[in-house]
Amino acid sequence: MVVVLLDQTKPNKTQKNMKFFVDTANLDEIREAADMGVLDGVTTNPSLMKKVGAKDLKAHIRQICELVDGDVSAEIIATTYNEMMAEAQEVAKIHPNVVVKVPLILDGIKAIKSLTAMGIKTNCTLCFSPTQALVAAKAGATYISPFVGRLDDISTDGMDLIRSIVDIYDHYGFATQVLVASVRHPMHVVAAAEMGADVATMPLSVIKQLLRHPLTDLGLQQFLQDAEALKNM
Ligand code: E4P
């Protein structure tokens, strides 16, 4: 028997693959996104947990980790260094794919530095400026989460922040991955990809919107009609 191995690797400029995360704590939505085959992870926050009534964070995050083979961000609610460290270590124990989401405050930065030294992955959340992103990268955060939609909401171009962070990180070769958060529509994702952001986390509705085009639907309809007509020729 001859086995042909296809080399599907296609060399590109950076060899970097943009990741898609779904931004929800809803298990059905996560399952649906995972079924599409293009999901790389999940982000949650206390508001998303509240939306689905998930009072037991550990049990809920564990269920999410069973649905998705990728990083799952679980946010801690402590706001002082010692309490953050204790909570983060508990959360990290839930599953090897758990990324501890830490708010971008002084004690959070200190906690990220310590957690990184311990080998625990972190997602530094609530980032709204390049200086905040720079500090988070210096502390060794695995991900930085700039919230683009919330900046747009206050008449500030959220994607400008992404451009700035990507430039700064590239300049110094920081390993921190830029996770575009608070995504509201497909154009946020297009801009993020053009800028070379590492990850976009988005609601399931936006993931679905990414592949929709009316000309695809019309074209397919025509092809199917013609294929049917061909059978009777
Ligand atoms: C993700 O990590 C964030 O918590 C989330 O994207 C925030 O989105 P929102 O601004 O729509 O609440």
Side-chain angles (χ1 to χ4, degrees):
M1 188 175 69
V2 180
V3 179
V4 181
L5 290 174
L6 293 178
D7 180 7
Q8 294 188 318
T9 54
K10 179 178 159 195
N12 62 20
K13 216 168 62 176
T14 61
Q15 291 290 348
K16 192 164 82 172
N17 185 7
M18 185 186 192
K19 289 187 253 183
F20 286 175
F21 289 178
V22 67
D23 193 27
T24 183
N26 181 305
L27 299 178
D28 288 334
E29 289 183 1
I30 293 168
R31 213 171 276 117
E32 194 177 337
D35 278 350
M36 288 173 71
V38 293
L39 189 70
D40 302 296
V42 180
T43 49
T44 65
N45 63 37
S47 305
L48 294 170
M49 298 293 269
K50 178 178 162 237
K51 221 169 154 180
V52 295
K55 286 190 184 166
D56 185 342
L57 176 109
K58 284 187 187 172
H60 200 78
I61 293 293
R62 198 172 294 117
Q63 286 188 74
I64 295 176
C65 290
E66 281 160 14
L67 295 177
V68 179
D69 183 20
D71 284 350
V72 174
S73 289
E75 189 157 343
I76 55 169
I77 51 170
T79 53
T80 59
Y81 176 78
N82 287 337
E83 286 175 359
M84 283 175 144
M85 288 303 293
E87 192 184 347
Q89 287 172 81
E90 281 305 304
V91 167
K93 277 187 213 155
I94 299 171
H95 191 277
N97 287 351
V98 165
V99 177
V100 182
K101 211 169 175 190
V102 181
L104 211 162
I105 55 176
L106 178 59
D107 283 41
I109 291 297
K110 289 184 195 171
I112 286 169
K113 176 90 183 170
S114 303
L115 293 167
T116 303
M118 294 166 68
I120 293 176
K121 288 194 275 188
T122 57
N123 175 352
C124 188
T125 189
L126 289 167
C127 171
F128 293 96
S129 79
T131 52
Q132 289 180 313
L134 184 53
V135 176
K138 284 183 68 66
T142 313
Y143 296 102
I144 182 71
S145 284
F147 281 30
V148 296
R150 293 192 193 186
L151 281 170
D152 289 354
D153 290 344
I154 57 159
S155 308
T156 304
D157 189 345
M159 294 314 297
D160 277 351
L161 174 59
I162 302 302
R163 189 179 295 105
S164 172
I165 297 172
V166 167
D167 284 352
I168 291 168
Y169 283 11
D170 281 354
H171 199 58
Y172 294 105
F174 283 121
T176 301
Q177 297 175 57
V178 181
L179 192 168
V180 181
S182 187
V183 163
R184 302 274 161 82
H185 50 73
M187 289 313 291
H188 276 148
V189 184
V190 172
E194 286 172 350
M195 291 169 194
D198 301 280
V199 191
T201 188
M202 54 203 133
L204 176 64
S205 57
V206 175
I207 299 184
K208 286 177 169 179
Q209 278 175 309
L210 295 179
L211 55 85
R212 272 190 213 131
H213 199 290
L215 289 180
T216 303
D217 297 339
L218 273 174
L220 180 60
Q221 199 184 2
Q222 186 65 57
F223 287 158
L224 293 178
Q225 271 174 17
D226 290 344
E228 199 54 39
L230 195 61
K231 283 187 204 163
N232 304 317
M233 281 172 76

